[in-house]
Amino acid sequence: MTLPESLDFSHLYSNETKARKPSPLKTCIHLFQDPNIIFLGGGLPLSDYFPWDNLTAQSPLPPFQKGIGAVPSGSKEDTLNIHVKKNEKNGNDIPLARALQYGFTPGQPEMLSFLREHTQKIHDMKYADWDVIASTGNTNAWESTLRIFCNRGDVILAEEYSFSSSLAAAEAQGVITVPVPVDSFGIVPEKLEELLDSWTEGAPKPKLLYTIPTGQNPTGTSLSSERKEAIYRIAQKHNFLIVEDEPYYFLQVGDYVPDLKKREEINSAPRPTHQEFLDSLVKTFLSCDTDGRVVRLDSFSKVLAPGTRMGWITASKKLLRPYVSLHEMTIQAPAGFTQVLVSGTLNRWGQEGYLDWLIGLRHEYVAKRDHTIDSLSKYLPQSDAFKVLPPVAGMFFTIDIDASAHPDFKTKFDSDPAKVEAAIYERVIKSGVLVVPGSWFKTVGDTVPPQPKTSDNAKKNEIFFRGTYAAVAPEKLEAGLKRLGDALKEEFGFAA
Amino acid sequence: MTLPESLDFSHLYSNETKARKPSPLKTCIHLFQDPNIIFLGGGLPLSDYFPWDNLTAQSPLPPFQKGIGAVPSGSKEDTLNIHVKKNEKNGNDIPLARALQYGFTPGQPEMLSFLREHTQKIHDMKYADWDVIASTGNTNAWESTLRIFCNRGDVILAEEYSFSSSLAAAEAQGVITVPVPVDSFGIVPEKLEELLDSWTEGAPKPKLLYTIPTGQNPTGTSLSSERKEAIYRIAQKHNFLIVEDEPYYFLQVGDYVPDLKKREEINSAPRPTHQEFLDSLVKTFLSCDTDGRVVRLDSFSKVLAPGTRMGWITASKKLLRPYVSLHEMTIQAPAGFTQVLVSGTLNRWGQEGYLDWLIGLRHEYVAKRDHTIDSLSKYLPQSDAFKVLPPVAGMFFTIDIDASAHPDFKTKFDSDPAKVEAAIYERVIKSGVLVVPGSWFKTVGDTVPPQPKTSDNAKKNEIFFRGTYAAVAPEKLEAGLKRLGDALKEEFGFAA
């Protein structure tokens, strides 16, 4: 199905997007490839003067039998040589001469065709005229999304707690973020609907919902397929876009199994088939999208490496147009070296090899998550005041703390949970471990639109800290969690 | 000399910059490197899971005896192997594990220290508290500059004709660009001063001058040291910033020597010493800057390759701060692969080797410029209606045309030079060559500030086309210029 012409979201564009004229130079750049034209049109340096003649990298080889962290030995059994030449077109490689030249703002074709095929494997696309373009990662893609859709004073929705850089980007641009209530499983559709149904008349309605559906940052929650469908229907009813920021999508680690024997059984089962892996992935907003109102931001940062500075945006061809126009005036395209190496690696691994990589990556994160939750059960104060919900995806865990359980809550801290939070933060750093206060991620909406629903009264003394099991090796992780537990015990007056 | 506190340009910041809060997460990211802290603070993936173990590239070897375009043979005599490992710190290399991780928004230290040393060689820095930060190239750096300083409705200055993407970026942001009159040698300081002295009272004054001083795009003109000093004094008087966009700075090819014998003599002289080369470079705005009011944008696009997507910004430490804050929310940093390879190459070449490269590059462009002007003298219609001023820098030449010399000027074209321009453009493309109409680059200022000074009456029928000698090899270049000459002869009714 092709999207009907009548479904058009251009009324949601910012003044900037509406005013952005295509550069006249772009109208003739295609003539650079025309064999009948001698191109004296644009300042493209001769590739003869690019100083790099060829590029080689080594990666492990699918199916990554020794684990994705195993160092390739250099032998044929476990090592892939990615060797790309300047002027030779070898298989699906992007020749260096092209990758290092101007052009191809949407991304190099060899990279994009891999990503399109990947998209079809992962998502159940409901319409035909979608596409992908390269980005320089989700941070930039989100900031650009704000530029493309929002004017100063416009309103967007975001989870009650969200990635602080994303919120700060909106704030700097003068965009008002209205918080959407969440529970332990992410956005609560009924509360979202209530919020929108009772929207102050005449107040500007939200243009889009910004959400991190899987392994949400900072809460670690993941939205179920059912909630996504419900939220999508609300987006249709109130006609806003959904921007799903999904850096952690492939870190879906499943339910935590506390019973070690059972866990052992699961872990010793054969590796899942590719189909089993694909079936295990939660449904995406993109897969719900029948209107072309979802913009999905994917990134290689968490699955390959942050320093690739590359990701991709998936949406309707129509909605991608303003992104390309903006990219022409800003990033132009991800770095040529990145495109050569990432595309060179992925096209050699193949779609199936990439799934092997993702399965291997998940395997690592399952172990990290399990080790974290095991350790927290061991080291946290044994009290109802400290709660940990094992995450099913992502890099983050949270420790929910009832601040009123602090013995000095009413005295030293004037019954103010924020003061308890600050005291804990100070103490954990002194104890040699870093976790981050939840208040750093609070979505503070303006009061022009309806007042954000504040959390229920029962929760009013609840604070939380965000930790991650991503950044350190297992032994260090456990040592860190012990320090954390000890610090909390000390602060709250439990016996160590 | 350190800049005095009293010299402060923060009143020129945009509302966005003033509102931009540092991400609270950035206040603790330094603890990632603290050996006493177990870092469970941020979503940094383990570098063990980055799939690239090492990276190798080959480049030619200084002093590039066979020319910068010579393909390295692989032998020790002419080939440099840049081999960078994931976890080993080898000399000045950036280990892959660090380059591919988050962090280092201003750029990797090994890259920055090379650029700082380079800056000291090239510029005569007048104050001590300057610095450099990495950018993803001048297109993005300029667009960010607009975000940092300008609100909608703010005013900037730019050359009467300027790079269309730069102008379009300002226009989309609602920033008004007032054109500054130019002649064959760039901005005319007296006219700039007149423009500012007679500024409409109460109208918003320009926050900055955007200029491409060397090998200007599209006019090919270059500003002399004297004009730069005069313009700098005007900037002080009227208190605006100067943003010098200098992608072509190292393509300074000197005066055109029409006499072939004399040229032969010059060309057969020994290669200039590094000191002679440095002395030959025109003084920069940065070298005039005693106040910290110059922001310089440099790029590797024209000297190494556009696809590096890397450049750097040089300014006072104070003025660089809002750039870093914006980069944290947008690009974060140039791609890790780029930093590893560019830094790995430059640090192996060394400062002196890089000068050899730049001298070699200039050598190529001298030949291209000479060949172009020789060919134009040969193929253009022999008439005063067609003028070519040989450029002394950059990639571009212009052909100035008196449109009224067209036999159908008053009849078919209604005495409208724009119509002649359109007819020429159509004909040259049909003839199999692409050059770009000058009108595509016109800086169209709004009329809210004073009316832009229109060109003198004598010039009112003058149109021009921009061509480049960068993009094609010598034989093709000459063939293209012949096609161009023939097309113009045909259009203007000269015998072929």
Side-chain angles (χ1 to χ4, degrees), chain A residues 119-120 123-128 130-131 284 286-287 289 314-315:
Chain A
T119 302
Q120 272 165 324
H123 308 281
D124 177 20
M125 297 305 292
K126 295 285 195 304
Y127 62 94
W130 59 272
D131 207 350
T284 62
L286 206 54
S287 296
D289 191 15
T314 315

Side-chain angles (χ1 to χ4, degrees), chain B residues 375-393:
Chain B
S375 302
L376 286 171
S377 317
K378 206 150 97 192
Y379 300 121
L380 277 191
Q382 301 298 317
S383 152
D384 282 351
F386 301 86
K387 275 188 212 124
V388 173
L389 189 81
V392 297

Side-chain angles (χ1 to χ4, degrees), chain B residues 3 7 9 12 127 232 235-243 289-295 316 319:
Chain B
L3 292 170
L7 273 169
F9 301 104
L12 297 176
Y127 63 93
Y232 187 80
Q236 289 183 306
K237 179 174 161 190
H238 289 280
N239 205 19
F240 56 83
L241 303 175
I242 296 174
V243 179
D289 191 16
T290 50
D291 302 346
R293 67 171 70 243
V294 172
V295 176
S316 76
L319 278 190

